[in-house]
Structures are given as C-alpha cells and as structure tokens.
Amino acid sequence: LKVSYNGSKGVQNLNAQIYVENTAVFDEPVVINLASKIEKNMLKFEDLSVLSNDKGGAEDFKTNLKSNKKIVITGGIEDFNKPNFKNIRLFIPQLLNIKIADTLTQLKGDLFLSGELKSPEIVGQIQIQNLFNQTLQLAINNATLDFNKNVVKRKKLYFR
C-alpha cells in the first residue's frame, strides 16, 4: 500500500495504490489506483482504476500505471452530508474475467451514474458473456443490459 496526501485548507489531493496478488474477484494480480481531490464538499475521482499487474507493486506510482486498465472510474461524490453521485463513469473497456461468489463471467461496459447514492440514475450498457454458476446450474452465453435512468432493458439473452 502506497499513499500520498497533500494540499491546503481548500483543496486536498489523495493518491493511493495497493497491489493485490490474490483476489477472489479477478483472475490475475492487480493494482488498484486512486488519484482523487477533495474540494468544496466534493470528492473527485480523477482516476480510480484496476490495472493488471503481474510484476508486483513498484515503489513509483507511475510505473504501476503502465499496464492495461481493466476498470476505470471517474467523476465524483458531492455534498458529504447528503452524498450524491456527480457524473460517475464506470468503464470496462475490454472483456474482464471476474468471479463473484460461485459465479464466473466475462463482461465489459460503460455506465454513468448521477443522483442520490441510495437510488442513482444509471445510463449505459453492460455486455455479459459466458456467465456460469455451477450451484444454480445457470449458464448465459451472451446478454446485453441497457440502462436508461431507472429502466433496465435486455437486448440479447441466450441461455444454455
């Protein structure tokens, strides 16, 4: 874990990185990177990302950012007393292998979140390929989920 914190009364900068060799979610070692700024009752994510990294965490922040970004989150959270998403973007640029509980899948997508934390408006799309859960005997070959504020539509859904 590496952390860098600096700033003034009006603006604080927080940079952090953590190297995770074994994780239950990703199928390879990763670096989680955070470059953020706190200013005027808002936390701004300049770069919150997950990067593949099979070389171990280097001491230099920039060295760890040279690999492929698997997940990128930008935007912010405003009003710490009543938190709201402010143009949060969750971007998964290429198929990502993940495991959540007993479910294995590949997914990619681009989502935008705005509004209250407890009920945000979500716009964008997630593509799911090869979802498999042995316990539930569930397999999905290909699915596309479209999010339009408070509505989710499925375009393609193929079960095995």
Side-chain angles (χ1 to χ4, degrees):
L1 174 66
K2 290 184 281 299
V3 177
S4 165
Y5 179 81
N6 62 49
S8 63
K9 184 177 180 181
V11 179
Q12 295 84 41
N13 298 300
L14 175 64
N15 297 304
Q17 287 183 344
I18 186 167
Y19 173 71
V20 183
E21 188 170 359
N22 294 314
T23 172
V25 177
F26 301 108
D27 63 348
E28 63 183 322
V30 296
V31 167
I32 300 170
N33 181 70
L34 170 66
S36 64
K37 182 181 288 189
I38 300 171
E39 182 177 20
K40 296 181 183 173
N41 203 24
M42 180 172 176
L43 170 62
K44 181 178 180 187
F45 300 116
E46 294 173 348
D47 180 18
L48 175 54
S49 55
V50 177
L51 301 92
S52 58
N53 187 322
D54 58 358
K55 297 178 178 90
E59 288 299 315
D60 178 40
F61 278 96
K62 291 180 182 177
T63 301
N64 291 326
L65 298 176
K66 292 183 179 176
S67 59
N68 291 334
K69 291 186 178 182
K70 296 181 160 289
I71 300 172
V72 180
I73 299 172
T74 56
I77 297 175
E78 63 182 359
D79 190 358
F80 297 134
N81 295 319
K82 187 179 177 191
N84 285 293
F85 289 124
K86 177 81 172 182
N87 301 321
I88 295 279
R89 180 182 187 199
L90 170 62
F91 181 52
I92 305 170
Q94 56 196 10
L95 281 178
L96 175 65
N97 298 321
I98 63 169
K99 179 182 179 185
I100 299 174
D102 292 335
T103 303
L104 299 170
T105 190
Q106 295 175 307
L107 55 87
K108 72 177 188 174
D110 202 3
L111 294 177
F112 296 87
L113 291 86
S114 292
E116 292 184 27
L117 257 50
K118 63 182 177 182
S119 60
E121 291 183 347
I122 304 172
V123 176
Q125 189 175 77
I126 294 285
Q127 297 170 357
I128 302 169
Q129 293 184 358
N130 305 320
L131 183 139
F132 180 72
N133 184 299
Q134 176 91 27
T135 307
L136 298 175
Q137 302 244 324
L138 173 69
I140 298 174
N141 289 341
N142 193 357
T144 301
L145 300 175
D146 281 324
F147 295 83
N148 186 0
K149 297 194 177 183
N150 296 327
V151 178
V152 179
K153 296 181 182 177
R154 61 173 167 45
K155 280 190 178 174
K156 300 184 256 178
L157 192 58
Y158 301 105
F159 289 97
R160 262 190 276 163

